[in-house]
mmCIF file of all heavy atoms in Angstrom:
data_model
loop_
_atom_site.group_PDB
_atom_site.id
_atom_site.type_symbol
_atom_site.label_atom_id
_atom_site.label_comp_id
_atom_site.label_asym_id
_atom_site.label_seq_id
_atom_site.Cartn_x
_atom_site.Cartn_y
_atom_site.Cartn_z
ATOM 1 N N ILE J 1 9.339 109.994 -87.865
ATOM 2 C CA ILE J 1 8.029 110.483 -87.405
ATOM 3 C C ILE J 1 7.008 109.346 -87.420
ATOM 4 O O ILE J 1 6.173 109.235 -86.529
ATOM 5 C CB ILE J 1 7.574 111.676 -88.268
ATOM 6 C CG1 ILE J 1 8.473 112.882 -87.979
ATOM 7 C CG2 ILE J 1 6.114 112.018 -88.003
ATOM 8 C CD1 ILE J 1 8.363 114.001 -88.990
ATOM 9 N N GLY J 2 7.102 108.491 -88.405
ATOM 10 C CA GLY J 2 6.178 107.364 -88.504
ATOM 11 C C GLY J 2 6.412 106.282 -87.466
ATOM 12 O O GLY J 2 5.536 105.456 -87.218
ATOM 13 N N TYR J 3 7.590 106.282 -86.857
ATOM 14 C CA TYR J 3 7.928 105.226 -85.901
ATOM 15 C C TYR J 3 8.413 105.793 -84.571
ATOM 16 O O TYR J 3 9.456 105.402 -84.063
ATOM 17 C CB TYR J 3 8.965 104.262 -86.505
ATOM 18 C CG TYR J 3 8.390 103.502 -87.668
ATOM 19 C CD1 TYR J 3 8.575 103.941 -88.961
ATOM 20 C CD2 TYR J 3 7.605 102.372 -87.456
ATOM 21 C CE1 TYR J 3 8.014 103.270 -90.041
ATOM 22 C CE2 TYR J 3 7.035 101.698 -88.515
ATOM 23 C CZ TYR J 3 7.242 102.142 -89.797
ATOM 24 O OH TYR J 3 6.674 101.476 -90.860
ATOM 25 N N ASP J 4 7.645 106.736 -84.056
ATOM 26 C CA ASP J 4 7.876 107.246 -82.701
ATOM 27 C C ASP J 4 9.266 107.840 -82.494
ATOM 28 O O ASP J 4 9.870 107.678 -81.441
ATOM 29 C CB ASP J 4 7.622 106.115 -81.694
ATOM 30 C CG ASP J 4 6.964 106.605 -80.422
ATOM 31 O OD1 ASP J 4 6.402 107.716 -80.434
ATOM 32 O OD2 ASP J 4 7.027 105.879 -79.421
ATOM 33 N N GLY J 5 9.786 108.486 -83.529
ATOM 34 C CA GLY J 5 11.073 109.161 -83.418
ATOM 35 C C GLY J 5 12.288 108.300 -83.649
ATOM 36 O O GLY J 5 13.410 108.751 -83.487
ATOM 37 N N LYS J 6 12.079 107.034 -84.019
ATOM 38 C CA LYS J 6 13.185 106.090 -84.188
ATOM 39 C C LYS J 6 13.308 105.667 -85.658
ATOM 40 O O LYS J 6 12.631 104.738 -86.102
ATOM 41 C CB LYS J 6 12.961 104.836 -83.333
ATOM 42 C CG LYS J 6 12.670 105.122 -81.882
ATOM 43 C CD LYS J 6 13.906 105.608 -81.149
ATOM 44 C CE LYS J 6 13.610 105.761 -79.674
ATOM 45 N NZ LYS J 6 13.913 107.063 -79.154
ATOM 46 N N PRO J 7 14.179 106.323 -86.424
ATOM 47 C CA PRO J 7 14.314 105.963 -87.836
ATOM 48 C C PRO J 7 15.042 104.628 -88.024
ATOM 49 O O PRO J 7 15.853 104.235 -87.196
ATOM 50 C CB PRO J 7 15.145 107.114 -88.412
ATOM 51 C CG PRO J 7 15.894 107.670 -87.252
ATOM 52 C CD PRO J 7 15.020 107.440 -86.040
ATOM 53 N N ASN J 8 14.728 103.953 -89.121
ATOM 54 C CA ASN J 8 15.322 102.660 -89.452
ATOM 55 C C ASN J 8 16.193 102.807 -90.694
ATOM 56 O O ASN J 8 15.706 103.192 -91.758
ATOM 57 C CB ASN J 8 14.205 101.640 -89.695
ATOM 58 C CG ASN J 8 14.739 100.281 -90.041
ATOM 59 O OD1 ASN J 8 15.250 100.057 -91.136
ATOM 60 N ND2 ASN J 8 14.613 99.364 -89.106
ATOM 61 N N VAL J 9 17.477 102.492 -90.562
ATOM 62 C CA VAL J 9 18.436 102.656 -91.659
ATOM 63 C C VAL J 9 17.991 101.884 -92.906
ATOM 64 O O VAL J 9 18.011 102.420 -94.016
ATOM 65 C CB VAL J 9 19.855 102.195 -91.224
ATOM 66 C CG1 VAL J 9 20.807 102.171 -92.404
ATOM 67 C CG2 VAL J 9 20.390 103.093 -90.122
ATOM 68 N N ASN J 10 17.583 100.637 -92.746
ATOM 69 C CA ASN J 10 17.219 99.809 -93.905
ATOM 70 C C ASN J 10 15.972 100.320 -94.618
ATOM 71 O O ASN J 10 15.897 100.280 -95.851
ATOM 72 C CB ASN J 10 17.035 98.352 -93.488
ATOM 73 C CG ASN J 10 18.357 97.716 -93.086
ATOM 74 O OD1 ASN J 10 19.396 98.043 -93.627
ATOM 75 N ND2 ASN J 10 18.303 96.830 -92.105
ATOM 76 N N ALA J 11 15.009 100.809 -93.856
ATOM 77 C CA ALA J 11 13.797 101.357 -94.475
ATOM 78 C C ALA J 11 14.135 102.603 -95.291
ATOM 79 O O ALA J 11 13.643 102.779 -96.413
ATOM 80 C CB ALA J 11 12.766 101.684 -93.400
ATOM 81 N N VAL J 12 14.986 103.442 -94.734
ATOM 82 C CA VAL J 12 15.394 104.664 -95.433
ATOM 83 C C VAL J 12 16.201 104.309 -96.683
ATOM 84 O O VAL J 12 15.987 104.885 -97.750
ATOM 85 C CB VAL J 12 16.208 105.590 -94.497
ATOM 86 C CG1 VAL J 12 16.777 106.773 -95.262
ATOM 87 C CG2 VAL J 12 15.344 106.068 -93.333
ATOM 88 N N LEU J 13 17.092 103.351 -96.568
ATOM 89 C CA LEU J 13 17.895 102.911 -97.710
ATOM 90 C C LEU J 13 16.981 102.471 -98.856
ATOM 91 O O LEU J 13 17.191 102.855 -100.009
ATOM 92 C CB LEU J 13 18.824 101.768 -97.293
ATOM 93 C CG LEU J 13 19.687 101.163 -98.385
ATOM 94 C CD1 LEU J 13 20.646 102.183 -98.976
ATOM 95 C CD2 LEU J 13 20.457 99.963 -97.846
ATOM 96 N N GLY J 14 15.954 101.700 -98.533
ATOM 97 C CA GLY J 14 15.007 101.241 -99.551
ATOM 98 C C GLY J 14 14.294 102.392 -100.242
ATOM 99 O O GLY J 14 14.142 102.395 -101.469
ATOM 100 N N LYS J 15 13.859 103.382 -99.480
ATOM 101 C CA LYS J 15 13.160 104.543 -100.054
ATOM 102 C C LYS J 15 14.083 105.354 -100.962
ATOM 103 O O LYS J 15 13.690 105.778 -102.046
ATOM 104 C CB LYS J 15 12.622 105.457 -98.947
ATOM 105 C CG LYS J 15 11.506 104.857 -98.146
ATOM 106 C CD LYS J 15 10.232 104.859 -98.939
ATOM 107 C CE LYS J 15 9.071 104.446 -98.066
ATOM 108 N NZ LYS J 15 7.819 104.426 -98.799
ATOM 109 N N VAL J 16 15.313 105.581 -100.489
ATOM 110 C CA VAL J 16 16.273 106.364 -101.272
ATOM 111 C C VAL J 16 16.594 105.639 -102.590
ATOM 112 O O VAL J 16 16.599 106.254 -103.656
ATOM 113 C CB VAL J 16 17.561 106.641 -100.458
ATOM 114 C CG1 VAL J 16 18.647 107.246 -101.340
ATOM 115 C CG2 VAL J 16 17.261 107.561 -99.273
ATOM 116 N N LEU J 17 16.840 104.336 -102.511
ATOM 117 C CA LEU J 17 17.161 103.575 -103.724
ATOM 118 C C LEU J 17 15.966 103.463 -104.672
ATOM 119 O O LEU J 17 16.150 103.406 -105.885
ATOM 120 C CB LEU J 17 17.683 102.189 -103.364
ATOM 121 C CG LEU J 17 19.075 102.170 -102.733
ATOM 122 C CD1 LEU J 17 19.447 100.750 -102.304
ATOM 123 C CD2 LEU J 17 20.130 102.734 -103.665
ATOM 124 N N ALA J 18 14.764 103.457 -104.126
ATOM 125 C CA ALA J 18 13.570 103.421 -104.976
ATOM 126 C C ALA J 18 13.484 104.700 -105.812
ATOM 127 O O ALA J 18 13.098 104.664 -106.984
ATOM 128 C CB ALA J 18 12.318 103.251 -104.130
ATOM 129 N N GLU J 19 13.856 105.828 -105.228
ATOM 130 C CA GLU J 19 13.818 107.103 -105.940
ATOM 131 C C GLU J 19 15.023 107.288 -106.855
ATOM 132 O O GLU J 19 14.903 107.910 -107.906
ATOM 133 C CB GLU J 19 13.788 108.272 -104.940
ATOM 134 C CG GLU J 19 12.410 108.682 -104.529
ATOM 135 C CD GLU J 19 12.410 109.967 -103.730
ATOM 136 O OE1 GLU J 19 13.005 110.971 -104.170
ATOM 137 O OE2 GLU J 19 11.801 109.963 -102.646
ATOM 138 N N HIS J 20 16.180 106.787 -106.420
ATOM 139 C CA HIS J 20 17.416 106.985 -107.177
ATOM 140 C C HIS J 20 18.234 105.685 -107.232
ATOM 141 O O HIS J 20 19.229 105.535 -106.531
ATOM 142 C CB HIS J 20 18.261 108.101 -106.538
ATOM 143 C CG HIS J 20 17.625 109.438 -106.635
ATOM 144 N ND1 HIS J 20 17.671 110.204 -107.775
ATOM 145 C CD2 HIS J 20 16.889 110.142 -105.744
ATOM 146 C CE1 HIS J 20 17.005 111.324 -107.581
ATOM 147 N NE2 HIS J 20 16.506 111.302 -106.351
ATOM 148 N N PRO J 21 17.814 104.749 -108.091
ATOM 149 C CA PRO J 21 18.497 103.457 -108.171
ATOM 150 C C PRO J 21 19.971 103.567 -108.569
ATOM 151 O O PRO J 21 20.764 102.683 -108.256
ATOM 152 C CB PRO J 21 17.701 102.667 -109.204
ATOM 153 C CG PRO J 21 16.727 103.600 -109.808
ATOM 154 C CD PRO J 21 16.665 104.829 -108.980
ATOM 155 N N GLU J 22 20.341 104.653 -109.209
ATOM 156 C CA GLU J 22 21.734 104.826 -109.619
ATOM 157 C C GLU J 22 22.687 104.948 -108.429
ATOM 158 O O GLU J 22 23.895 104.774 -108.558
ATOM 159 C CB GLU J 22 21.891 106.049 -110.537
ATOM 160 C CG GLU J 22 21.728 107.403 -109.869
ATOM 161 C CD GLU J 22 20.288 107.882 -109.700
ATOM 162 O OE1 GLU J 22 19.343 107.132 -110.001
ATOM 163 O OE2 GLU J 22 20.112 109.024 -109.241
ATOM 164 N N LEU J 23 22.149 105.222 -107.244
ATOM 165 C CA LEU J 23 22.984 105.339 -106.050
ATOM 166 C C LEU J 23 23.492 103.981 -105.556
ATOM 167 O O LEU J 23 24.358 103.923 -104.687
ATOM 168 C CB LEU J 23 22.222 106.059 -104.929
ATOM 169 C CG LEU J 23 21.877 107.525 -105.204
ATOM 170 C CD1 LEU J 23 21.016 108.092 -104.081
ATOM 171 C CD2 LEU J 23 23.131 108.361 -105.385
ATOM 172 N N LYS J 24 22.959 102.889 -106.135
ATOM 173 C CA LYS J 24 23.411 101.542 -105.755
ATOM 174 C C LYS J 24 24.898 101.348 -106.018
ATOM 175 O O LYS J 24 25.539 100.538 -105.371
ATOM 176 C CB LYS J 24 22.640 100.473 -106.536
ATOM 177 C CG LYS J 24 21.293 100.177 -105.987
ATOM 178 C CD LYS J 24 20.666 99.041 -106.765
ATOM 179 C CE LYS J 24 19.257 98.788 -106.288
ATOM 180 N NZ LYS J 24 18.601 97.737 -107.055
ATOM 181 N N LYS J 25 25.437 102.095 -106.974
ATOM 182 C CA LYS J 25 26.835 101.892 -107.364
ATOM 183 C C LYS J 25 27.812 102.226 -106.231
ATOM 184 O O LYS J 25 28.940 101.751 -106.240
ATOM 185 C CB LYS J 25 27.166 102.701 -108.616
ATOM 186 C CG LYS J 25 27.130 104.196 -108.414
ATOM 187 C CD LYS J 25 27.417 104.940 -109.689
ATOM 188 C CE LYS J 25 27.372 106.425 -109.361
ATOM 189 N NZ LYS J 25 26.760 107.229 -110.323
ATOM 190 N N ASP J 26 27.388 103.033 -105.265
ATOM 191 C CA ASP J 26 28.265 103.372 -104.144
ATOM 192 C C ASP J 26 27.514 103.168 -102.825
ATOM 193 O O ASP J 26 27.305 104.091 -102.048
ATOM 194 C CB ASP J 26 28.763 104.816 -104.274
ATOM 195 C CG ASP J 26 29.970 105.093 -103.404
ATOM 196 O OD1 ASP J 26 30.403 104.172 -102.667
ATOM 197 O OD2 ASP J 26 30.489 106.222 -103.443
ATOM 198 N N MET J 27 27.134 101.912 -102.600
ATOM 199 C CA MET J 27 26.322 101.569 -101.433
ATOM 200 C C MET J 27 27.008 101.890 -100.104
ATOM 201 O O MET J 27 26.368 102.354 -99.171
ATOM 202 C CB MET J 27 25.962 100.081 -101.452
ATOM 203 C CG MET J 27 24.912 99.726 -102.471
ATOM 204 S SD MET J 27 23.283 100.303 -101.989
ATOM 205 C CE MET J 27 22.876 99.076 -100.771
ATOM 206 N N LYS J 28 28.307 101.645 -100.033
ATOM 207 C CA LYS J 28 29.029 101.862 -98.787
ATOM 208 C C LYS J 28 28.930 103.328 -98.351
ATOM 209 O O LYS J 28 28.649 103.627 -97.192
ATOM 210 C CB LYS J 28 30.488 101.446 -98.953
ATOM 211 C CG LYS J 28 31.257 101.381 -97.668
ATOM 212 C CD LYS J 28 32.642 100.803 -97.896
ATOM 213 C CE LYS J 28 33.342 100.627 -96.571
ATOM 214 N NZ LYS J 28 34.636 99.970 -96.733
ATOM 215 N N LYS J 29 29.139 104.223 -99.290
ATOM 216 C CA LYS J 29 29.047 105.658 -98.996
ATOM 217 C C LYS J 29 27.606 106.043 -98.633
ATOM 218 O O LYS J 29 27.381 106.797 -97.691
ATOM 219 C CB LYS J 29 29.525 106.458 -100.206
ATOM 220 C CG LYS J 29 29.516 107.949 -99.987
ATOM 221 C CD LYS J 29 30.012 108.685 -101.210
ATOM 222 C CE LYS J 29 29.888 110.176 -101.001
ATOM 223 N NZ LYS J 29 30.174 110.917 -102.240
ATOM 224 N N LEU J 30 26.649 105.516 -99.373
ATOM 225 C CA LEU J 30 25.239 105.821 -99.138
ATOM 226 C C LEU J 30 24.800 105.359 -97.747
ATOM 227 O O LEU J 30 24.197 106.124 -96.994
ATOM 228 C CB LEU J 30 24.370 105.166 -100.217
ATOM 229 C CG LEU J 30 22.860 105.345 -100.086
ATOM 230 C CD1 LEU J 30 22.472 106.816 -100.139
ATOM 231 C CD2 LEU J 30 22.139 104.572 -101.182
ATOM 232 N N VAL J 31 25.121 104.127 -97.397
ATOM 233 C CA VAL J 31 24.743 103.590 -96.086
ATOM 234 C C VAL J 31 25.415 104.402 -94.971
ATOM 235 O O VAL J 31 24.792 104.718 -93.958
ATOM 236 C CB VAL J 31 25.081 102.089 -95.965
ATOM 237 C CG1 VAL J 31 24.912 101.590 -94.542
ATOM 238 C CG2 VAL J 31 24.202 101.278 -96.910
ATOM 239 N N GLY J 32 26.673 104.773 -95.179
ATOM 240 C CA GLY J 32 27.378 105.586 -94.184
ATOM 241 C C GLY J 32 26.703 106.924 -93.961
ATOM 242 O O GLY J 32 26.544 107.377 -92.819
ATOM 243 N N GLU J 33 26.281 107.558 -95.042
ATOM 244 C CA GLU J 33 25.598 108.858 -94.946
ATOM 245 C C GLU J 33 24.247 108.693 -94.247
ATOM 246 O O GLU J 33 23.865 109.513 -93.416
ATOM 247 C CB GLU J 33 25.420 109.454 -96.350
ATOM 248 C CG GLU J 33 24.904 110.865 -96.360
ATOM 249 C CD GLU J 33 25.867 111.891 -95.780
ATOM 250 O OE1 GLU J 33 27.090 111.676 -95.797
ATOM 251 O OE2 GLU J 33 25.374 112.933 -95.297
ATOM 252 N N ILE J 34 23.516 107.639 -94.582
ATOM 253 C CA ILE J 34 22.215 107.390 -93.933
ATOM 254 C C ILE J 34 22.429 107.166 -92.439
ATOM 255 O O ILE J 34 21.709 107.739 -91.616
ATOM 256 C CB ILE J 34 21.494 106.183 -94.580
ATOM 257 C CG1 ILE J 34 21.055 106.536 -96.003
ATOM 258 C CG2 ILE J 34 20.283 105.765 -93.733
ATOM 259 C CD1 ILE J 34 20.515 105.367 -96.806
ATOM 260 N N GLN J 35 23.415 106.383 -92.070
ATOM 261 C CA GLN J 35 23.679 106.109 -90.652
ATOM 262 C C GLN J 35 24.021 107.389 -89.894
ATOM 263 O O GLN J 35 23.577 107.583 -88.763
ATOM 264 C CB GLN J 35 24.805 105.087 -90.501
ATOM 265 C CG GLN J 35 24.394 103.702 -90.898
ATOM 266 C CD GLN J 35 25.554 102.710 -90.919
ATOM 267 O OE1 GLN J 35 26.696 103.074 -91.145
ATOM 268 N NE2 GLN J 35 25.232 101.441 -90.691
ATOM 269 N N LYS J 36 24.793 108.246 -90.529
ATOM 270 C CA LYS J 36 25.169 109.511 -89.908
ATOM 271 C C LYS J 36 23.926 110.378 -89.636
ATOM 272 O O LYS J 36 23.743 110.899 -88.538
ATOM 273 C CB LYS J 36 26.151 110.255 -90.820
ATOM 274 C CG LYS J 36 26.789 111.478 -90.210
ATOM 275 C CD LYS J 36 27.897 112.000 -91.103
ATOM 276 C CE LYS J 36 27.358 113.131 -91.933
ATOM 277 N NZ LYS J 36 28.372 113.765 -92.791
ATOM 278 N N ILE J 37 23.059 110.483 -90.631
ATOM 279 C CA ILE J 37 21.852 111.304 -90.496
ATOM 280 C C ILE J 37 20.876 110.661 -89.511
ATOM 281 O O ILE J 37 20.242 111.358 -88.708
ATOM 282 C CB ILE J 37 21.212 111.573 -91.877
ATOM 283 C CG1 ILE J 37 22.179 112.427 -92.714
ATOM 284 C CG2 ILE J 37 19.866 112.261 -91.739
ATOM 285 C CD1 ILE J 37 21.803 112.590 -94.164
ATOM 286 N N VAL J 38 20.757 109.338 -89.536
ATOM 287 C CA VAL J 38 19.902 108.631 -88.573
ATOM 288 C C VAL J 38 20.370 108.929 -87.146
ATOM 289 O O VAL J 38 19.560 109.184 -86.253
ATOM 290 C CB VAL J 38 19.887 107.107 -88.848
ATOM 291 C CG1 VAL J 38 19.382 106.325 -87.640
ATOM 292 C CG2 VAL J 38 19.016 106.796 -90.057
ATOM 293 N N GLY J 39 21.675 108.927 -86.935
ATOM 294 C CA GLY J 39 22.219 109.231 -85.614
ATOM 295 C C GLY J 39 21.832 110.622 -85.139
ATOM 296 O O GLY J 39 21.444 110.810 -83.983
ATOM 297 N N THR J 40 21.896 111.590 -86.037
ATOM 298 C CA THR J 40 21.541 112.965 -85.702
ATOM 299 C C THR J 40 20.046 113.101 -85.427
ATOM 300 O O THR J 40 19.634 113.696 -84.434
ATOM 301 C CB THR J 40 21.943 113.913 -86.859
ATOM 302 O OG1 THR J 40 23.344 113.777 -87.095
ATOM 303 C CG2 THR J 40 21.618 115.359 -86.528
ATOM 304 N N VAL J 41 19.236 112.542 -86.307
ATOM 305 C CA VAL J 41 17.779 112.654 -86.183
ATOM 306 C C VAL J 41 17.271 111.915 -84.939
ATOM 307 O O VAL J 41 16.335 112.367 -84.282
ATOM 308 C CB VAL J 41 17.086 112.141 -87.475
ATOM 309 C CG1 VAL J 41 15.590 111.982 -87.282
ATOM 310 C CG2 VAL J 41 17.380 113.092 -88.629
ATOM 311 N N SER J 42 17.903 110.811 -84.586
ATOM 312 C CA SER J 42 17.488 110.036 -83.415
ATOM 313 C C SER J 42 17.605 110.834 -82.123
ATOM 314 O O SER J 42 16.890 110.567 -81.156
ATOM 315 C CB SER J 42 18.333 108.767 -83.289
ATOM 316 O OG SER J 42 18.064 107.903 -84.351
ATOM 317 N N LYS J 43 18.496 111.804 -82.110
ATOM 318 C CA LYS J 43 18.701 112.625 -80.917
ATOM 319 C C LYS J 43 17.664 113.741 -80.788
ATOM 320 O O LYS J 43 17.570 114.394 -79.755
ATOM 321 C CB LYS J 43 20.100 113.233 -80.936
ATOM 322 C CG LYS J 43 21.192 112.193 -80.837
ATOM 323 C CD LYS J 43 22.564 112.812 -80.991
ATOM 324 C CE LYS J 43 23.624 111.721 -81.037
ATOM 325 N NZ LYS J 43 24.926 112.247 -81.429
#
């Protein structure tokens, strides 16, 4: 919403990790989930 309907994976990753730093232990899974949701929201 802040960027004209185009979410940024890295910005979202930073926000999620800021709230829940313990998620760093499984970054591959986290990034994959963010990418999946970004793909859906972008549409």
